[in-house]
Amino acid sequence: MTKAWLLMRGDVRVGELREYGVDQPTFLCHFVPGPGWESVSALFEARAVVQGPDPDGSRHAEAFRPLMDLGLTLHPSDGGAPLGCFRDCILRIDGDMARLRY
């Protein structure tokens, strides 16, 4: 059974993730934007461009902080408990692809 999650910001659906594979320990997903995507997409894009070595983690932390402040949650389609993004799981979205690790 393929897993799916709704990405939410409060009561606003930001998008949907649909698993298509696993690259342990990461779920590989297709991402379908929702009505709230436009308001957060620039933050995910800024995070996606941070590449390469980051010995003290400061560049990655700087890119993740605004995303953490959004209070995003992932709601599993099977009715399981929601996951707090960047608290219970790490989520990366780049275009129509997403990577989820929890």
Side-chain angles (χ1 to χ4, degrees):
M1 178 183 199
T2 300
K3 293 182 181 181
W5 298 266
L6 289 179
L7 179 60
M8 304 291 293
R9 183 177 184 195
D11 294 334
V12 177
R13 184 172 47 90
V14 173
E16 182 177 348
L17 284 73
R18 298 177 189 155
E19 177 190 332
Y20 70 85
V22 177
D23 182 12
Q24 278 295 17
T26 304
F27 293 95
L28 307 175
C29 303
H30 294 288
F31 177 71
V32 179
W37 176 243
E38 191 172 321
S39 67
V40 301
S41 63
L43 297 176
F44 278 95
E45 290 167 5
R47 170 34 218 121
V49 299
V50 177
Q51 301 288 325
D54 186 10
D56 68 355
S58 62
R59 288 188 311 116
H60 285 93
E62 186 177 317
F64 270 115
R65 175 56 55 197
L67 289 168
M68 293 172 71
D69 292 344
L70 292 173
L72 298 172
T73 54
L74 280 171
H75 297 258
S77 62
D78 66 4
L83 300 170
C85 291
F86 313 108
R87 184 184 64 222
D88 302 322
C89 63
I90 299 295
L91 175 62
R92 296 173 188 232
I93 299 174
D94 188 10
D96 64 351
M97 306 305 286
R99 296 173 65 83
L100 173 64
R101 179 178 176 172
Y102 64 96

